Amino acid sequence: MKARRITGDIVIYVILTVMAVVWLLPIVWLVLQAFGNSGTAAESMRFIPSSFGFENFIGLFTNEIWTVSGSSAGNPHFVPDQNGFTFFLKTDGGQFVLGSFLNTLIVALCTMIVSTLLTLMTSYALSRLRFKGRQMIMRVCLIMGMFPGFLSLIILYWIFRLLNDVLGTEMSIFTLVFVYSAGAGAGYYISKGFFDTISRQVDEAAMIDGASRFQIFYKIILPLSKPIVVYTALTSFMGPWGEYITASFLAGTNRQMYTVAVQLYTMITTQEFSSLYWGWFCAAAVVIAIPVSILFIFMQKYYVSGVTGGAVKG
């Protein structure tokens, strides 16, 4: 029995080690490419670059970004002539990339605040209140959560065109916040499960003292629910931080309204410039991973508590 148990443990650890290597290998390769000095296509084929430095990070925020606007002939660093034979658009890389980072940060932070409030209030109402249609609402929300959000892009397109021409304008940033947070209440199930673990006697004692439902929620339940608040805030922040489909749809052709995901996609989709911007792309991927990584490092304890606490009861 002991030999069989040891053999089983060895097999399990070997499988877990292989899975960890497969999962970590792309991340390690991306980081190595970001710190490699050469951004050529030939260099990207090497797992370990021939030299290391910070050239990609410096170029990402200081150099000029070139994109094709017409003929793709010629050197990508060639300034367009007056005859119109070669057409290139030139934008300042530092301002452009920093602008996309700022757009993404604004959208992610605003979405995190609005979505967290909506999710927690909906979860508290479904956990504590008993009203007609409550079970049906929970079932409908669970079923709707099975469908990806981008399926609604067509109807959203026509809604926003009828209400206001927000596509490609400054309003697209606020529209993104609205789209990302509008259905936040449908993700109630984990938060509701956590609220179910808090005794109702706490609410009853507060009601005897004259507290309203909102006061109970704000002053009593939320301070007792720090893990689920942190979990909800983190998940609400992560979604907009790396989302591409809706952001590219609402930004349209206005490059000033690009988020980081849209900006990175445009940097490497042009075949003529994919090797030129490859190192910058990897550097930008490392940069945008830093905020989320820091949040997880400092909030990991609350994040795990929120997930496990919300899974106790449905």
Side-chain angles (χ1 to χ4, degrees):
M1 294 295 296
K2 183 178 180 180
R4 183 179 300 175
R5 184 173 63 252
I6 294 175
T7 304
D9 292 342
I10 292 174
V11 173
I12 292 174
Y13 281 115
V14 169
I15 295 175
L16 292 176
T17 302
V18 173
M19 292 176 62
V21 170
V22 171
W23 183 77
L24 291 174
L25 193 61
I27 300 176
V28 174
W29 175 72
L30 182 69
V31 173
L32 292 176
Q33 292 296 321
F35 285 95
N37 283 335
S38 177
T40 63
E43 188 71 17
S44 64
M45 300 300 294
R46 299 169 56 95
F47 182 79
I48 300 178
S50 56
S51 60
F52 294 92
F54 296 94
E55 292 183 1
N56 291 325
F57 294 93
I58 297 174
L60 179 67
F61 293 103
T62 59
N63 291 349
E64 295 172 332
I65 294 179
W66 297 72
T67 54
V68 173
S69 177
S71 173
S72 60
N75 191 309
H77 290 286
F78 177 76
V79 178
D81 57 18
Q82 301 298 323
N83 298 323
F85 294 110
T86 308
F87 302 91
F88 292 97
L89 291 175
K90 184 177 69 172
T91 58
D92 183 73
Q95 295 180 359
F96 191 30
V97 175
L98 288 175
S100 64
F101 272 92
L102 181 61
N103 292 340
T104 308
L105 183 62
I106 293 174
V107 172
L109 288 177
C110 293
T111 303
M112 179 185 70
I113 296 172
V114 176
S115 298
T116 301
L117 291 175
L118 289 177
T119 303
L120 293 179
M121 288 190 292
T122 303
S123 303
Y124 177 76
L126 294 175
S127 174
R128 289 296 195 264
L129 304 181
R130 295 295 181 267
F131 51 89
K132 187 176 181 180
R134 172 177 169 272
Q135 293 292 334
M136 183 183 68
I137 291 176
M138 290 192 294
R139 293 192 185 99
V140 170
C141 289
L142 286 174
I143 294 174
M144 291 179 61
M146 298 178 184
F147 298 92
F150 65 83
L151 291 179
S152 62
L153 285 181
I154 297 177
I155 188 63
L156 285 175
Y157 173 81
W158 287 107
I159 289 176
F160 290 128
R161 281 185 63 89
L162 293 175
L163 294 178
N164 193 7
D165 292 331
V166 299
L167 302 180
T169 65
E170 288 76 8
M171 288 297 297
S172 61
I173 297 296
F174 302 99
T175 306
L176 274 177
V177 176
F178 175 77
V179 172
Y180 289 148
S181 57
Y188 69 87
Y189 30 89
I190 295 181
S191 301
K192 175 188 175 297
F194 191 94
F195 290 148
D196 288 340
T197 63
I198 301 176
S199 176
R200 293 177 177 272
Q201 296 177 356
V202 176
D203 300 48
E204 296 171 357
M207 288 181 182
I208 294 175
D209 291 336
S212 63
R213 280 290 184 183
F214 180 77
Q215 290 175 326
I216 295 172
F217 171 73
Y218 177 71
K219 295 184 178 181
I220 299 176
I221 300 300
L222 285 186
L224 295 174
S225 308
K226 185 180 293 184
I228 199 61
V229 173
V230 173
Y231 166 80
T232 307
L234 283 177
T235 53
S236 301
F237 181 86
M238 287 166 45
W241 188 254
E243 200 273 338
Y244 168 77
I245 297 178
T246 310
S248 63
F249 164 73
L250 289 176
T253 58
N254 188 353
R255 302 171 64 85
Q256 301 301 322
M257 295 297 105
Y258 280 2
T259 59
V260 171
V262 182
Q263 163 66 11
L264 295 185
Y265 178 80
T266 57
M267 286 174 61
I268 60 171
T269 50
T270 304
Q271 184 176 359
E272 289 79 9
F273 299 141
S274 59
S275 60
L276 176 65
Y277 294 141
W278 175 249
W280 296 3
F281 173 85
C282 296
V286 172
V287 171
I288 64 175
I290 291 176
V292 178
S293 301
I294 293 176
L295 286 176
F296 267 95
I297 290 174
F298 288 98
M299 302 294 184
Q300 184 178 11
K301 178 178 65 175
Y302 300 109
Y303 182 84
V304 175
S305 301
V307 175
T308 55
V312 175
K313 292 184 179 181

